Amino acid sequence: SQKIEQNSEALNIQEGKTATLTCNYTNYSPAYLQWYRQDPGRGPVFLLLIRENEKEKRKERLKVTFDTTLKQSLFHITASQPADSATYLCALDEGNTDKLIFGTGTRLQVFP
Amino acid sequence: NAGVMQNPRHLVRRRGQEARLRCSPMKGHSHVYWYRQLPEEGLKFMVYLQKENIIDESGMPKERFSAEFPKEGPSILRIQQVVRGDSAAYFCASSRLGLRTTDTQYFGPGTRLTVL
């Protein structure tokens, strides 16, 4: 069956450290993968998109990797800050459709 | 440039009533997507619409749920004869181009439906 898995347990890290979140998928062949941030009571906010032919993408303190052999994407936040505390969602396309499939998200808590 | 607007933000209905959720996409966006998010679950795709057309409704329950995006006015997600299991957050997103082009979709703040 098709699955997208993100670590359901919250990730707690200290301010200044690098946070690494994982997104694994099975039985999909996505053309691209996206990462979103969601704060409580609000809609998701787009962060980064990485295509299947790209290994790595960066945006300020954010870095995303995409390994189509491992069927995994890693999302890194360097020099993390308490303001980075939120739930982070990965999403991928369902192959030649206009539909996005979302993971359940990982909650990140950055403490001072 | 206003973002995606959804109203109401909170909606309470009794079992058997109708719920009507509205979504106004960003200016210049003609593609609208509806998602449902249950507590502790991820966003689930429901339906994708372009102006006056339903493109993909594969994620929408066959009964009681319907969606439209008229030529004029907001997109509407309608749930008839609501049941407690319909309680969830419903999010609308819009994009200028379709997602096959890897265009970015922008989400609204959501409507939180509670069925008593």
Side-chain angles (χ1 to χ4, degrees), chain B residues 1-6 24-29 94 106-109:
Chain B
N1 187 13
V4 177
M5 311 284 284
Q6 288 187 252
S24 296
M26 286 181 68
K27 187 177 180 180
H29 287 194
S94 74
Y106 297 85
F107 280 82

Side-chain angles (χ1 to χ4, degrees), chain B residues 13-108:
Chain B
R13 285 286 178 265
R14 295 191 180 280
R15 280 180 297 170
Q17 292 184 318
E18 178 179 287
R20 192 171 292 203
L21 289 62
R22 295 175 186 77
C23 169
S24 296
M26 286 181 68
K27 187 177 180 180
H29 287 194
S30 60
H31 300 254
V32 166
Y33 314 82
W34 284 93
Y35 295 85
R36 177 165 62 178
Q37 188 172 40
L38 294 167
E40 306 303 322
E41 291 190 18
L43 285 160
K44 302 292 185 190
F45 168 84
M46 297 183 74
V47 61
Y48 162 45
L49 310 102
Q50 291 183 42
K51 279 288 186 182
E52 300 185 272
N53 291 305
I54 295 175
I55 307 301
D56 185 339
E57 56 181 349
S58 58
M60 202 152 68
K62 295 286 186 288
E63 298 179 354
R64 303 189 298 108
F65 286 72
S66 62
E68 62 178 19
F69 189 14
K71 187 177 180 181
E72 301 291 337
S75 175
I76 306 286
L77 179 67
R78 184 181 292 111
I79 311 172
Q80 297 176 303
Q81 300 175 333
V82 295
V83 301
R84 289 220 174 98
D86 297 333
S87 295
Y90 292 83
F91 290 96
C92 166
S94 74
S95 63
R96 191 170 59 87
L97 305 172
L99 294 184
R100 294 189 210 195
T101 65
T102 69
D103 191 23
T104 301
Q105 60 176 336
Y106 297 85
F107 280 82

Side-chain angles (χ1 to χ4, degrees), chain A residues 6-89:
Chain A
Q6 294 185 256
N7 194 340
S8 58
E9 293 181 10
L11 178 63
N12 298 307
I13 66 165
Q14 192 172 25
E15 182 176 11
K17 302 291 187 185
T18 296
T20 298
L21 286 69
T22 305
C23 177
N24 295 295
Y25 59 92
T26 54
N27 293 323
Y28 286 108
S29 297
Y32 60 86
L33 191 144
Q34 301 185 11
W35 284 88
Y36 289 78
R37 169 184 173 141
Q38 186 174 24
D39 291 282
R42 306 187 78 166
V45 175
F46 170 79
L47 296 175
L48 278 169
L49 178 150
I50 186 165
R51 292 180 173 80
E52 59 177 337
N53 60 349
E54 296 176 317
K55 295 288 187 193
E56 182 180 296
K57 204 90 171 272
R58 290 175 185 262
K59 179 183 175 182
E60 298 173 353
R61 294 185 296 111
L62 309 180
K63 184 179 85 170
V64 172
T65 62
F66 193 10
D67 189 326
T68 55
T69 301
L70 291 178
K71 297 187 182 297
Q72 179 182 80
S73 175
L74 298 179
F75 177 80
H76 307 272
I77 306 176
T78 59
S80 59
Q81 305 165 1
D84 295 327
S85 300
T87 295
Y88 291 86
L89 309 172

